[in-house]
Amino acid sequence: MKIAIEKALLGGEITVISSKSYAHRILITASLGKTPVVVKRLPLCEDVKATLRCLAACGTKISLEGDEAVLVPRPYSDGTLDCGESGSTLRFMLPVAAAKGINARFEGKGRLPLRPLGAIKEVLKKGGVTFCGDSMPFSVSGKLNGDGFTVDGSLSSQYVTGLLLALCAESGVKRLNVIGKKVSASYIDITLDVLKQFGIDVNTDRNGYTLSVPEKLPSPSVSEVEGDWSNAAFFLAAGLISSKITVKGLKYPSTQGDAKIVSLLRSLGGDVKVTENGVVASPSKLKAAALNCADCPDLIPILAFTACFADGVTEISGAERLKIKESDRLKGITDILSSAGIKWRYADDVLYVRGGKVSPFVADCLHDHRLIMASSVLASVCGGLLVNADGVEKSYPDYFEAYSSLGGKYALSL
């Protein structure tokens, strides 16, 4: 798919989609309980649909009406789990399926079969789980044994979350030791917040987590998913380089690490205010800054493009892990910067972006949802053509409708 973006001022008000990070965790934890849970404001993007699909394949009864889902937990049963392109779904459901002792076949598409699983597979194998197949599709059998495990947290926060969820599959006192420096630690905080909502007591120390899982989870009868800061970031950045934008539906402060977008944009000189009516971003004279994105790598695409309008050279650290996202996101960003006439350099986990005049560009978005959305914001200033631009459904199916409502102009072609 190609998307031609016309130069246009973006401005107005928008209510952002709900957080898929919260949604994954709420849905899976609800399936481990004993009583029905109503999940409100569910973001029905492709990644969340993948988790719903996998839970249904394992026996959970799910009823959907609009953006509301009713989950009725049932004993986990054998099944085929189609994870689509969702790394979260795969890395969360794999240890949960193992903890439940079911025979499960895992399938996926796109770059998902290429994304690393080594550390989590090693933990599961040591716990008595058998793998049939070294790469996706693969099957698992056997029950994960033990009340304590150790995982390297420097590889992925999703490994830590997956094992925390797995330890909640049965009652008792459980222990997860985490070695190495935890990356994207804010995503683990989201997991802990959800577990707390479901009545699971978690004590955190410097070496890991101790969980007290009750015999019957006191699941909330209703759980509402909060607004998504990851996707709000695109609109807030647009407000700084275009016209004033108010983003509604966000919680601040938030456990979501990507709520850091407020402080990061302010570091660039951005006028960002948190008000009772929403988060308001207004046109600003931007200046270069050093931005640490080690715990919020999903913000790097839009921050890199926002830095194009800042005087001086902006330093964005934490960029190395972008190479193993839905695409080689680092290459995608830098290729787009070059096409737009912006000078950049990458060295030792830091992306350097020199602000300058942005020219109409062609962006190969690599079918990556975050590259597509970030590029649309950049192109609203100068015009551009987005190629390989199908994929926003992964996290924000209605993104271009929202973009259009703010004044964005675009045309699709296959």
Side-chain angles (χ1 to χ4, degrees):
M1 179 185 292
K2 298 178 181 179
I3 304 177
I5 304 290
E6 293 185 34
K7 181 178 178 180
L9 276 178
L10 303 180
E13 296 185 352
I14 193 77
T15 298
V16 77
I17 193 171
S18 302
S19 166
K20 71 185 180 83
S21 296
Y22 263 97
H24 286 304
R25 292 158 173 80
I26 290 170
L27 292 170
I28 294 172
T29 309
S31 78
L32 299 174
K34 304 292 185 183
T35 57
V37 179
V38 178
V39 183
K40 294 187 174 183
R41 287 196 67 198
L42 190 65
L44 290 175
C45 58
E46 289 302 316
D47 279 8
V48 171
K49 286 180 181 178
T51 292
L52 288 167
R53 189 166 58 239
C54 289
L55 291 174
C58 291
T60 301
K61 182 180 178 182
I62 300 172
S63 302
L64 272 175
E65 184 172 341
D67 65 352
E68 185 171 299
V70 179
L71 275 72
V72 180
R74 290 177 173 172
Y76 268 56
S77 56
D78 298 348
T80 296
L81 281 64
D82 176 7
C83 300
E85 296 186 57
S86 175
S88 295
T89 303
L90 173 59
R91 289 169 171 169
F92 298 168
M93 289 301 303
L94 174 57
V96 169
K100 285 295 188 180
I102 64 172
N103 297 319
R105 174 182 168 86
F106 285 86
E107 299 177 348
K109 61 181 181 180
R111 279 173 58 95
L112 185 61
L114 303 178
R115 298 181 72 176
L117 279 177
I120 195 76
K121 290 174 72 173
E122 181 181 346
V123 174
L124 299 182
K125 287 178 179 179
K126 287 181 178 178
V129 177
T130 300
F131 283 78
C132 181
D134 293 327
S135 60
M136 186 173 278
F138 61 82
S139 298
V140 296
S141 59
K143 185 176 176 61
L144 183 63
N145 295 312
D147 293 329
F149 303 96
T150 299
V151 67
D152 188 344
S154 68
L155 302 174
S156 173
S157 66
Q158 292 178 346
Y159 296 159
V160 178
T161 286
L163 287 167
L164 285 171
L165 293 171
L167 288 172
C168 296
E170 293 188 354
S171 62
V173 177
K174 315 288 184 175
R175 177 69 188 178
L176 179 62
N177 296 310
V178 181
I179 59 174
K181 182 179 179 180
K182 289 180 283 190
V183 295
S184 301
S186 59
Y187 287 94
I188 302 173
D189 292 337
I190 293 175
T191 306
L192 300 178
D193 186 38
V194 170
L195 296 184
K196 181 179 178 181
Q197 291 178 32
F198 279 79
I200 298 168
D201 184 33
V202 183
N203 289 320
T204 303
D205 58 54
R206 61 183 299 179
N207 296 315
Y209 310 93
T210 301
L211 293 74
S212 298
V213 184
E215 182 69 32
K216 181 179 179 181
L217 290 187
S219 301
S221 58
V222 178
S223 180
E224 184 169 321
V225 185
E226 67 177 69
D228 184 57
W229 279 98
S230 303
N231 286 319
F234 301 109
F235 301 124
L236 294 174
L240 302 187
I241 62 177
S242 196
S243 184
K244 185 171 76 171
I245 293 177
T246 299
V247 183
K248 298 182 175 182
L250 294 168
K251 179 182 177 182
Y252 189 85
S254 170
T255 304
Q256 294 178 60
D258 285 353
K260 190 179 179 182
I261 190 64
V262 172
S263 61
L264 291 170
L265 292 178
R266 286 173 175 170
S267 294
L268 289 170
D271 180 2
V272 183
K273 295 183 175 67
V274 180
T275 73
E276 291 184 0
N277 190 47
V279 184
V280 184
S282 302
S284 307
K285 181 174 176 55
L286 302 180
K287 62 182 187 303
L291 308 177
N292 184 350
C293 294
D295 280 340
C296 50
D298 285 345
L299 296 179
I300 294 179
I302 191 58
L303 287 170
F305 295 160
T306 305
C308 296
F309 303 93
D311 291 335
V313 179
T314 295
E315 303 176 12
I316 305 173
S317 59
E320 182 69 21
R321 295 183 62 248
L322 296 182
K323 296 178 180 179
I324 56 170
K325 292 291 186 176
E326 287 85 341
S327 67
D328 182 342
R329 199 172 280 169
L330 180 60
K331 183 178 188 304
I333 292 169
T334 53
D335 284 351
I336 293 167
L337 290 173
S338 294
S339 182
I342 296 296
K343 294 182 179 179
W344 61 272
R345 181 171 67 89
Y346 176 73
D348 300 325
D349 199 33
V350 181
L351 175 62
Y352 301 87
V353 180
R354 179 178 293 278
K357 180 176 173 54
V358 179
S359 303
F361 60 90
V362 176
D364 185 348
C365 296
L366 305 173
H367 310 284
D368 187 312
H369 56 133
R370 303 212 183 276
L371 290 180
I372 297 165
M373 292 185 278
S375 297
S376 72
V377 172
L378 181 62
S380 71
V381 176
C382 58
L385 179 66
L386 282 51
V387 301
N388 293 320
D390 50 306
V392 293
E393 297 80 10
K394 181 175 175 62
S395 66
Y396 202 158
D398 298 329
Y399 172 76
F400 278 103
E401 287 83 347
Y403 181 81
S404 179
S405 75
L406 293 172
K409 298 178 180 179
Y410 69 97
L412 307 178
S413 62
L414 299 177

